[in-house]
Amino acid sequence: MVTHVPAEVRGDERGALLAFIEEQRGGIRRSVLGLTEEQARSRPSASELSLGGLLKHAAEVEQMWLARARQEEPPVRRDQSNWHESFELVGEETVASQLAHWERVAADTEKFIRSAPSLDDTFPLPPDPWFPPEGRVSLRWLCLHLIRETARHAGHADIVRESLDGKTAFELVALERERG
């Protein structure tokens, strides 16, 4: 753990889950601190991942899962033909635009989770072959999945950033605090 997540108010499971999602978002957001657009788009490791692409992907995935929980169509449809675009900044997309987009998505996630009648409420999984047929998951599962998904990509971002300029997650936390 690079940053501390304060203990939840007694009985505030939603607050605890949302705090851990936010902590992992912070890891990805910090990974682009002080970088130029060119650096954020670069791929300094053996991977195809860039920091700008990871930022975009994490925001897009969170937004997609929120749409699923609402049983709406995701705003961006991905398939084999355009999946790669979920991991790269394309056209006029910038780090700043993706950070602003993710901030809106995060606020939407917070509002949705806080206003749901129960974390036990469920929604159907899509009919993709990697999900069980007619599977359903709870809003609690959604929060845990977002923690896992975001944490996985925050780890990727740590490696890419360190490969780029040697800065570690701890240095980026310090840099974020300096910028206040």
Side-chain angles (χ1 to χ4, degrees), residues 91-155:
E92 300 298 313
E93 294 174 337
T94 64
V95 168
S97 72
Q98 293 304 305
L99 286 168
H101 171 65
W102 203 7
E103 188 175 324
R104 291 186 299 273
V105 171
D108 198 21
T109 300
E110 172 103 14
K111 182 178 177 185
F112 179 74
I113 294 298
R114 291 245 181 235
S115 66
S118 172
L119 290 176
D120 294 326
D121 290 351
T122 65
F123 61 94
L125 289 168
D128 296 323
W130 46 86
F131 293 125
E134 299 179 34
R136 295 186 71 81
V137 293
S138 68
L139 295 183
R140 181 178 296 99
W141 181 95
L142 169 66
C143 291
L144 293 168
H145 180 71
L146 289 175
I147 293 166
R148 177 183 65 180
E149 176 81 13
T150 310
R152 180 172 186 242
H153 293 311

Side-chain angles (χ1 to χ4, degrees), residues 49-62:
L49 298 175
S50 70
L51 293 171
L54 283 167
L55 172 66
K56 176 182 176 178
H57 177 74
E60 196 172 285
V61 165
E62 183 172 336

Side-chain angles (χ1 to χ4, degrees), residues 10-110:
R10 185 176 170 90
D12 183 14
E13 181 182 12
R14 294 169 201 247
L17 292 167
L18 290 165
F20 275 93
I21 295 169
E22 179 55 30
E23 184 226 5
Q24 295 307 316
R25 287 186 198 116
I28 296 174
R29 284 194 311 262
R30 280 187 297 278
S31 76
V32 297
L33 273 176
L35 296 182
T36 65
E37 287 294 323
E38 182 180 347
Q39 288 172 312
R41 290 173 185 265
S42 70
R43 297 173 174 153
S45 67
S47 166
E48 290 288 318
L49 298 175
S50 70
L51 293 171
L54 283 167
L55 172 66
K56 176 182 176 178
H57 177 74
E60 196 172 285
V61 165
E62 183 172 336
Q63 185 177 41
M64 180 263 312
W65 275 106
L66 195 57
R68 284 180 176 164
R70 289 181 168 139
Q71 299 182 50
E72 301 170 352
E73 283 295 313
V76 178
R77 297 290 296 162
R78 295 286 178 204
D79 59 29
Q80 199 170 11
S81 70
N82 66 359
W83 180 251
H84 66 282
E85 289 180 5
S86 74
F87 282 100
E88 59 188 39
L89 299 179
V90 295
E92 300 298 313
E93 294 174 337
T94 64
V95 168
S97 72
Q98 293 304 305
L99 286 168
H101 171 65
W102 203 7
E103 188 175 324
R104 291 186 299 273
V105 171
D108 198 21
T109 300
E110 172 103 14

